[in-house]
Amino acid sequence: MAAETVQFYLMGKPHAVPKGLTIQKAMEYAGFRQLRGCGCRGGFCGACGTVYRTAGDYKLKVGLACQTVVEDQMYLALIPFFPAVKANYSIEDLPPTAETIISLYPEVLRCVGCNSCRKVCPQEIEVMRYIAAAQRGDIARVANLSFDCLMCGLCASRCPAEIVQYNVAILARRLYSRHIAKPAVHLAARVEEIERGGCDADLASMMAATDADLKRMYAARVIEPEEL
Amino acid sequence: MRVPYFPGCTLHSKAAGFDASARAAALALDIHLDELPYWTCCGATFSMAADSAMGLVAPTRILASAKDAGKLLTLCSFCYNTLKRTNKVIATDAERRRKVTTFIEEDYQGTVKIVHLLEILRDDLGFDALARKVVTPLKGLKVAPYYGCLLLRPADEMGFDDPERPTILEKFLASLGCEVVEFPHRTECCGSFVVVGAPDTARECSGRIVDAAAVAGAEVMVVSCPLCQYNLDRAQHDPANGGRAKAKVPVLYFSQLLAIALGCEPSCLHFESHAVDPRPRLSAWLEAPAPAPAA
Amino acid sequence: MGYDAQLLESIRRVEATRSTRMGQQFSRLTADEKTALLKGYHPDYKAGTMRELAVGPNAGDRVPHELADLLEGRSRIDPDFDLSCIDYDVDVLVIGGGGAGTSAAILAHERGAKVLLVTKLRLGDANTMMAQGGIQAADKPNDSPAIHYLDVMGGGGFQNIPELVAALTKDAPAAIKWLEELGAMFDKQPDGTMVSIHGGGTARRRMHSARDYSGAEIMRTLRDEFRNRQIPYREFTSAVELLLDSKGQCAGAVLCDMETEELRVVRAKAVILATGGMGRLHVQQFPCTNHYGATADGLVIGYRAGAKMVFMDAVQYHPTGVAYPEQIVGQLVTEKVRGLGAQLVNAKGECFIFDLETRDTVSSAIIRECLERKNGVQTNTGMHGVWLDSPMIEMIRGDGTIAKALPAMMRQYARFDIDMRRLPILVYPTQHYQNGGLLIAADSETVVPNLYAAGEVSGGVHGRNRLMGNSLLDIIVFGRRAGMAVAERIGNVKQGTLTLDHVRGYQADLMAAGRDSGQKAPMLLPNYLRPETIGRRGNGQG
């Protein structure tokens, strides 16, 4: 039984492919060997942000080419790159405030609240809301709302205020983690212990242990129980 | 009473004292300010973007999020002005309503009532009832009420009070036990956002207002707008820094005096962020002794 | 889309046994049982899948055919390529833009080295970006580097190189601290304590995570910091051969611009290979969890330059790759899902292995369950799988756990109309990690002077099987060590004349041994074009 085929348009040119392929695999089926616009192929890296329309519908839709199945009459283009502005900073020197964000990305105040960024986000992140939070210095909220961001750049491509939202977001996440979230005290203590040489003796005896000893120790390990 | 509350950007950052004191004071009057779960900047561009539908998008989205409750409270004069006037456009201009609501994909007809805390105190509680709830009357405190522009103008759209001779702040202050100081500049512009592009001009405006209040015998002033507070407060700095006022008159949010009068915890006041420190004059009514002000 | 009727029926059987299964733990295997299982069912032991190399430092060692084809392949350049015109003259050349490469570049640059980083795709396009579950470090009071060491050794079959394991486990807390200071958003308790869970083969809960974006969070942070420091780099630029010099030192590379196809020469006092793994070779036609560029490039060019490899006959198959829907087959379902309580269940609704045995063990068990015991599920595209009972996570740890701890995975399945909170997911082993690689010392140097290797391309630290959470650790620890080591080394380097003689010599050795796979190597990118497409091309090439 012949597989069903669907037709999609890549930058205006039609290609017929078997039904059920992702956009990425459909492009390869159609004969394109990809360089730009192909990264992890698993939905994490933001290389394959795709904008498309479907027949008879003016609404602009988005997806990741590696995770989106081709629909019949899909009319698409990948946007593997969009020019951005990125500030350079030393994260340790920056206070976690609205002033920091505004001084590095003053255009963040130009937001008109149109929500185009949210509509074009393939991860369905509440981009406008985190920009609003950034404007008023709610760094923790920016960090939490933006966490799943792949930095694909589609938001920046659509913003009438020309904000590069994902760069504001990563600044906020780093500010949050560095200056707002509490440092892990146990971690600092262990690092200090290791620097003092406090763990050297045990490691040395591990390194010197015979195969037989190691196997015995391994089998006799006491496993920390699950915390529930 | 519960009312949905739109804080606006500065009340979550620079004007934290306005927000905190208003919440605390309202709570003492059994008025719960329920902050909207999601909100963006209101844009505050309404007055500057006469025709653009874009300028209506942000405030309309905020109004639509309160449509089930039917009411939305705000404190900042700029937010109040923006939201109220946007609401009127949405309610009365069918074409722009259609355009904006279609764009933001919300079904909103302009049904929300925008209220200011002073209106609730005047209309829902009543100033007499407020006076009876005062725990710490501010006897002997000479207060000049400053309205600025946006609460009052344009008068037919704001309907807040008489634009030439408003009285709501005077009555409010009287109910707290203050001695109200009348002075001629109470409805003059403080300079507003002009302080960004032409700071000297704005400082001139603000300086005149502060000096007039001082000449009239004011010990403190009250405002309802973070930008007014900023302009009037900073106008009193060292002239070498651009300050123009000759006098030193602390500039408070009306909610801060309200909070003190109702006996709220002083931690809600955030006086440390004021350029002209109000604590010395108010120390008699503040429970804890005032710590040294920041330089 | 969702599940079809056949799969839904199978799911009913899983649901029917859930209450009896919950709270029970399948017993752990003894060492002997484990050995027997691996020998019987692990893909590494399947006959006819590997061959001995004839040429080079590992002549006589067995590697998968797919890798041997590249190691016995043809250089992309003529050994007489003109090296007299040097396009980039630097202290340190870093090849690869993932976690190891950026860490190395940052450390070297911080210590004053003139660095150039090249990457054949974008900065951050690496397996690092895709890692989900977490990164190990012994930083809790009830844990220690020595306990971590034992876990690593046991997982690796006790063949790991002790110095490397000691380096890994000793540096681990400092690696986490470095990331924490850079602003990586680890999952923490309100008081700052790191949230940590078990992974396969761990004796202590020491897996740190950032939801299930652990690798992405680390990579984003490193990439942002790298850019802030304005370290020179070129994207879409691969390295197609290493250069040696007349003293036998590694002295640079020949680069190929992936877009313009131009070749350029870099002279460097030290080179760091951080080129990652080989999932896209699709060993034994397994799908893989890896990114597009995981094609063993560093092994090829390093091997030609004389670097020795270890454990290249040990391929790690992640037990839980997506088996349905077909569109995302092979993609990673993090071990964390099992760490949070989901059980592996066969078509009859029974457990058949302790879920947190080491990866090689669980993979073998799943293969046995499906192919020999015939207790697996087969989808309508012929894909085998067993169920991973993810709804158990919500039941054990409360509603909302999956949304909070596994947002990326939840979204991935939701895109295909599968709600993993309510329905189990189908999994099967997928090619995941290169356990071995270029042999390094504790300072990341290979046997070739001034050639360093860090991350998945290197070998020895994980022995024959890596534990979950030690790869993200590996790239940071050895990436940093490489960066620090080269910064110190470059002051003592006196460079000789650049040469490609080693390539000429290697090609000659291959010819003499009668080995020529005909493939161009390094592969650079996999070729997923159909034969029909290639056949229609004017040049007949893919």
Side-chain angles (χ1 to χ4, degrees):
Chain A
M1 182 174 68
E4 274 182 73
T5 56
V6 292
Q7 180 158 277
F8 76 102
Y9 294 79
L10 178 61
M11 292 187 283
K13 187 163 156 187
H15 301 280
V17 297
K19 191 174 170 185
L21 296 178
T22 57
I23 294 170
Q24 194 165 73
K25 290 182 181 169
M27 286 171 62
E28 286 162 343
Y29 187 96
F32 293 91
R33 198 165 171 202
Q34 289 161 106
L35 177 61
R36 294 261 179 187
C38 185
C40 72
R41 301 180 73 107
F44 279 89
C45 74
C48 61
T50 303
V51 290
Y52 66 93
R53 289 185 152 100
T54 50
D57 187 356
Y58 70 86
K59 285 227 168 273
L60 192 65
K61 296 174 184 142
V62 289
L64 298 172
C66 66
Q67 304 292 298
T68 308
V69 175
V70 171
E71 292 170 48
D72 193 36
Q73 302 307 306
M74 210 179 210
Y75 203 80
L76 65 92
L78 271 70
I79 306 194
F81 182 88
F82 194 80
V85 64
K86 181 186 156 29
N88 292 325
Y89 42 84
S90 276
I91 201 74
E92 61 264 21
D93 298 335
L94 297 176
T97 60
E99 282 74 29
T100 292
I101 298 198
I102 291 164
S103 67
L104 293 170
Y105 296 109
E107 59 275 19
V108 84
L109 295 178
R110 296 178 74 209
C111 174
V112 296
C114 70
N115 216 21
S116 298
C117 49
R118 162 66 172 92
K119 288 182 190 172
V120 84
C121 177
Q123 297 281 80
E124 296 176 318
I125 290 170
E126 294 288 351
V127 187
M128 181 180 72
R129 286 182 188 167
Y130 80 60
I131 292 296
Q135 289 173 338
R136 58 188 188 251
D138 191 346
I139 308 291
R141 193 169 187 151
V142 185
N144 281 313
L145 286 178
S146 73
F147 193 83
D148 295 11
C149 173
L150 309 179
M151 304 178 73
C152 70
L154 286 175
C155 51
S157 75
R158 297 283 293 161
C159 178
E162 297 159 305
I163 302 166
V164 180
Q165 293 88 336
Y166 62 85
N167 275 338
V168 173
I170 186 150
L171 168 60
R173 288 195 300 274
R174 293 187 69 191
L175 285 172
Y176 172 79
S177 310
R178 172 71 199 231
H179 297 294
I180 298 179
K182 294 201 163 72
V185 170
H186 60 90
L187 176 63
R190 177 53 50 79
V191 169
E192 200 263 332
E193 182 188 357
I194 290 171
E195 278 170 2
R196 269 191 286 112
C199 298
D200 287 352
D202 285 345
L203 269 179
S205 60
M206 276 301 187
M207 286 173 66
T210 61
D211 261 13
D213 281 339
L214 285 173
K215 286 175 181 165
R216 200 183 23 83
M217 284 192 277
Y218 187 73
R221 289 179 309 162
V222 174
I223 311 290
E224 183 181 7
E226 285 292 348
E227 183 192 56
L228 287 174
Chain B
M1 167 193 213
R2 303 200 82 96
V3 59
Y5 167 49
F6 174 78
C9 301
T10 46
L11 270 77
H12 263 224
S13 50
K14 292 273 189 231
F18 195 3
D19 173 80
S21 59
R23 286 176 196 267
L27 203 58
L29 298 169
D30 202 28
I31 301 167
H32 296 257
L33 302 186
D34 290 335
E35 182 170 331
L36 294 178
Y38 304 112
W39 55 270
T40 62
C41 177
C42 69
T45 58
F46 183 88
S47 50
M48 291 173 271
D51 183 48
S52 169
M54 194 65 102
L56 297 174
V57 164
T60 305
R61 201 194 295 283
I62 293 162
L63 293 165
S65 70
K67 74 177 181 204
D68 289 340
K71 212 172 187 178
L72 185 63
L73 183 149
T74 193
L75 295 165
C76 162
S77 304
F78 240 112
C79 298
Y80 181 70
N81 187 285
T82 300
L83 290 172
K84 198 158 186 181
R85 295 179 67 200
T86 301
N87 204 42
K88 186 173 177 199
V89 171
I90 298 298
T92 56
D93 183 335
E95 181 50 37
R96 289 165 92 192
R97 172 172 68 244
R98 188 194 60 77
K99 187 179 268 190
V100 174
T101 55
T102 308
F103 182 78
I104 65 173
E105 294 170 351
E106 290 276 359
D107 176 21
Y108 179 63
Q109 312 290 325
T111 50
V112 168
K113 183 166 183 240
I114 314 297
V115 292
H116 193 279
L117 184 58
L118 287 168
E119 290 175 305
I120 292 192
L121 296 177
R122 178 188 63 197
D123 303 331
D124 293 273
L125 182 63
F127 288 128
D128 290 339
L130 176 60
R132 285 194 291 278
K133 293 207 182 251
V134 166
V135 158
T136 310
L138 304 172
K139 270 180 85 75
L141 181 64
K142 299 187 168 71
V143 186
Y146 173 72
Y147 289 84
C149 313
L150 297 175
L151 283 183
L152 303 171
R153 298 187 283 271
D156 57 335
E157 293 189 44
M158 298 311 294
F160 183 78
D161 201 342
D162 186 312
E164 299 293 334
R165 287 173 171 179
T167 56
I168 190 170
L169 273 174
E170 283 77 359
K171 291 188 177 143
F172 162 76
L173 290 169
S175 69
L176 301 186
C178 305
E179 196 181 309
V180 178
V181 173
E182 217 185 287
F183 76 114
H185 287 61
R186 64 194 177 127
T187 60
E188 299 294 314
C189 181
C190 69
S192 194
F193 50 82
V194 171
V195 71
V196 176
D200 283 356
T201 307
R203 300 261 190 255
E204 290 278 357
C205 298
S206 293
R208 272 198 293 274
I209 293 162
V210 173
D211 288 343
V215 160
E219 295 174 301
V220 302
M221 304 173 67
V222 289
V223 300
S224 179
C225 172
L227 191 47
C228 295
Q229 201 283 332
Y230 178 85
N231 280 340
L232 296 173
D233 201 7
R234 308 283 150 160
Q236 304 179 50
H237 265 183
D238 186 347
N241 286 346
R244 286 286 183 276
K246 303 184 198 75
K248 289 285 185 206
V249 183
V251 182
L252 310 179
Y253 294 107
F254 74 90
S255 57
Q256 288 168 323
L257 279 189
L258 179 61
I260 295 172
L262 293 176
C264 299
E265 281 292 322
S267 59
C268 75
L269 300 170
H270 293 280
F271 280 149
E272 66 279 356
S273 60
H274 289 233
V276 180
D277 192 351
R279 286 172 290 199
R281 179 60 190 94
L282 301 174
S283 58
W285 295 296
L286 297 172
E287 268 187 5
Chain C
M1 183 188 296
Y3 286 120
D4 62 25
Q6 178 221 345
L7 292 174
L8 285 171
E9 202 199 297
S10 183
I11 289 172
R12 297 283 100 78
R13 264 172 263 136
V14 171
E15 291 170 343
T17 60
R18 192 176 284 147
S19 44
T20 27
R21 281 187 281 116
M22 211 163 346
Q24 286 178 1
Q25 193 175 282
F26 204 88
S27 43
R28 288 172 187 261
L29 297 178
T30 64
D32 286 340
E33 285 171 332
K34 182 171 159 171
T35 307
L37 176 61
L38 294 177
K39 286 216 157 74
Y41 300 96
H42 195 275
D44 284 352
Y45 293 92
K46 191 170 176 186
T49 60
M50 302 202 188
R51 67 173 183 269
E52 283 182 18
L53 295 172
V55 157
N58 289 81
D61 290 343
R62 284 158 48 81
V63 305
H65 285 305
E66 295 82 357
L67 178 62
D69 287 345
L70 292 174
L71 295 174
E72 293 172 350
R74 301 176 187 179
S75 177
R76 288 181 176 270
I77 60 175
D78 185 333
D80 292 326
F81 182 78
D82 181 7
L83 300 172
S84 60
C85 188
I86 294 173
D87 297 289
Y88 304 99
D89 209 349
V90 298
D91 291 334
V92 180
L93 172 66
V94 179
I95 302 176
T102 47
S103 297
I106 289 171
L107 268 290
H109 175 85
E110 203 166 71
R111 282 159 169 73
K114 186 175 162 195
V115 176
L116 171 67
L117 185 148
V118 296
T119 172
K120 69 188 175 193
L121 295 172
R122 302 170 308 163
L123 195 63
D125 280 338
N127 284 343
T128 309
M129 189 64 94
M130 311 179 71
Q132 294 181 19
I135 175 169
Q136 288 198 43
D139 56 30
K140 291 274 172 78
N142 70 343
D143 198 2
S144 72
I147 300 175
H148 188 180
Y149 181 104
L150 186 58
D151 286 349
V152 177
M153 273 294 184
F158 302 99
Q159 294 178 48
N160 322 39
I161 296 180
E163 292 75 27
L164 299 180
V165 181
L168 184 79
T169 54
K170 183 174 172 180
D171 281 9
I176 304 285
K177 188 138 195 311
W178 184 60
L179 292 171
E180 187 195 41
E181 285 166 359
L182 287 176
M185 211 164 137
F186 288 109
D187 295 328
K188 283 180 167 179
Q189 314 282 10
D191 68 353
T193 304
M194 292 281 185
V195 169
S196 47
I197 62 169
H198 271 297
T202 55
R204 295 289 179 275
R205 285 184 280 115
R206 68 169 83 90
M207 200 80 50
H208 306 66
S209 56
R211 306 182 199 182
D212 60 349
Y213 284 97
S214 308
E217 175 56 14
I218 290 172
M219 191 69 248
R220 295 186 299 212
T221 305
L222 287 175
R223 179 173 60 188
D224 193 61
E225 184 63 17
F226 177 94
R227 286 191 175 134
N228 282 349
R229 300 194 189 199
Q230 300 184 280
I231 303 170
Y233 70 103
R234 281 191 78 79
E235 293 180 324
F236 294 96
T237 301
S238 59
V240 292
E241 287 300 349
L242 290 173
L243 296 175
L244 297 181
D245 70 9
S246 41
K247 303 181 187 180
Q249 303 171 123
C250 187
V254 176
L255 306 179
C256 178
D257 188 311
M258 301 288 282
E259 294 175 297
T260 65
E261 297 180 23
E262 293 168 288
L263 299 172
R264 291 200 170 84
V265 175
V266 182
R267 178 166 68 181
K269 298 189 174 127
V271 176
I272 303 176
L273 283 172
T275 50
M278 60 181 226
R280 294 281 159 190
L281 302 191
H282 296 290
V283 173
Q284 297 182 40
Q285 299 188 305
F286 269 90
C288 73
T289 61
N290 288 195
H291 83 114
Y292 190 41
T295 49
D297 297 356
L299 288 183
V300 170
I301 61 180
Y303 195 67
R304 281 195 190 124
K308 190 172 157 61
M309 305 184 296
V310 285
F311 303 128
M312 279 318 302
D313 59 340
V315 179
Q316 183 171 83
Y317 295 86
H318 196 289
T320 55
V322 174
Y324 184 88
E326 196 266 330
Q327 287 82 4
I328 53 174
V329 153
Q331 284 175 20
L332 180 64
V333 170
T334 176
E335 198 159 299
K336 188 174 176 181
V337 176
R338 288 173 278 144
L340 290 170
Q343 288 173 333
L344 288 163
V345 176
N346 66 19
K348 296 181 183 169
E350 305 160 334
C351 290
F352 55 93
I353 187 77
F354 170 55
D355 305 284
L356 290 179
E357 296 276 9
T358 54
R359 287 177 176 177
D360 48 0
T361 307
V362 183
S363 294
S364 306
I366 294 174
I367 292 172
R368 173 176 65 183
E369 203 67 18
C370 288
L371 301 186
E372 192 195 78
R373 294 180 177 170
K374 311 265 192 244
N375 284 338
V377 176
Q378 232 181 331
T379 69
N380 56 10
T381 55
M383 186 72 200
H384 292 279
V386 294
W387 293 108
L388 183 53
D389 198 5
S390 45
M392 288 174 68
I393 296 173
E394 301 285 276
M395 293 174 183
I396 295 170
R397 293 181 186 256
D399 278 335
T401 302
I402 287 178
K404 189 160 169 239
L406 300 167
M409 191 176 308
M410 199 172 99
R411 174 181 282 109
Q412 185 164 53
Y413 277 99
R415 285 189 173 118
F416 296 94
D417 300 321
I418 294 171
D419 186 348
M420 64 179 289
R421 297 169 299 183
R422 294 191 316 102
L423 296 172
I425 53 182
L426 200 67
V427 296
Y428 193 77
T430 174
Q431 186 184 349
H432 183 56
Y433 188 78
Q434 177 187 301
N435 287 313
L438 298 176
L439 176 63
I440 56 171
D443 65 352
S444 297
E445 195 174 19
T446 68
V447 300
V448 176
N450 302 344
L451 178 63
Y452 294 73
E456 194 171 354
V457 72
S458 72
V461 68
H462 305 296
R464 298 188 61 79
N465 176 62
R466 174 182 70 77
L467 297 183
M468 171 197 179
N470 278 341
S471 178
L472 286 178
L473 180 59
D474 176 0
I475 63 182
I476 306 296
V477 167
F478 290 101
R480 283 164 48 91
R481 282 184 168 232
M484 292 190 278
V486 296
E488 227 177 292
R489 169 65 57 85
I490 55 181
N492 300 327
V493 171
K494 306 251 183 304
Q495 289 169 305
T497 331
L498 298 176
T499 173
L500 281 167
D501 281 349
H502 55 289
V503 176
R504 186 177 295 104
Y506 187 86
Q507 305 280 167
D509 289 347
L510 280 178
M511 265 231 306
R515 299 282 180 104
D516 175 13
S517 71
Q519 281 191 36
K520 286 237 188 265
M523 181 190 277
L524 300 182
L525 291 175
N527 188 345
Y528 292 126
L529 297 182
R530 294 176 295 138
E532 294 94 315
T533 305
I534 296 171
R536 279 201 209 102
R537 286 187 164 194
N539 61 6
Q541 285 172 37

